[in-house]
Amino acid sequence: MRELANVLERALNLVNGPQILPEHIWFSGHGNLPVAGSSGDTPKTLAENIQAVEREIISAALAHYGSARKAARSLGLSHTALLKKMKKLKLTRLE
């Protein structure tokens, strides 16, 4: 019961609109992240996992807000910091 309460609280903190979507629900240890050995591929390092999650979050913010400036503000970053992260992750504004 406590785990479910924690999952719902986390989802409420992640959602920006009136609806909780499946991507807002994260059960720890249940394969929500592309962790080492989860798909039979070569194991992923911590850095690779962090980059994958960062890429997903930035892509979602860009799609939701429509501009890098608004997305950066929502993520608590400066516009230039977001652009540097996008360059590092090889993200374009269209993704």
Side-chain angles (χ1 to χ4, degrees):
M1 187 65 155
R2 177 174 275 179
E3 182 181 0
L4 180 57
N6 290 340
V7 168
L8 291 175
E9 183 179 348
R10 188 177 316 122
L12 286 171
N13 289 328
L14 290 174
V15 72
N16 284 329
Q19 201 171 29
I20 295 176
L21 301 173
E23 57 264 21
H24 300 127
I25 306 294
W26 288 39
F27 290 99
S28 60
H30 286 70
N32 292 22
L33 298 175
V35 234
S38 63
S39 64
D41 296 336
T42 57
K44 293 189 175 188
T45 65
L46 177 61
E48 290 170 330
N49 282 312
I50 290 170
Q51 278 190 341
V53 171
E54 196 171 43
R55 180 180 238 284
E56 188 176 316
I57 291 168
I58 291 172
S59 292
L62 289 168
H64 180 76
Y65 291 101
S67 80
R69 287 191 189 277
K70 290 178 184 177
R73 192 176 313 123
S74 76
L75 296 171
L77 297 171
S78 69
H79 178 246
T80 54
L82 179 62
L83 293 178
K84 285 179 184 178
K85 285 183 178 290
M86 289 171 62
K87 184 176 180 178
K88 177 183 171 190
L89 297 169
K90 297 181 177 119
L91 275 173
T92 64
R93 294 173 198 225
L94 303 175
E95 291 183 47

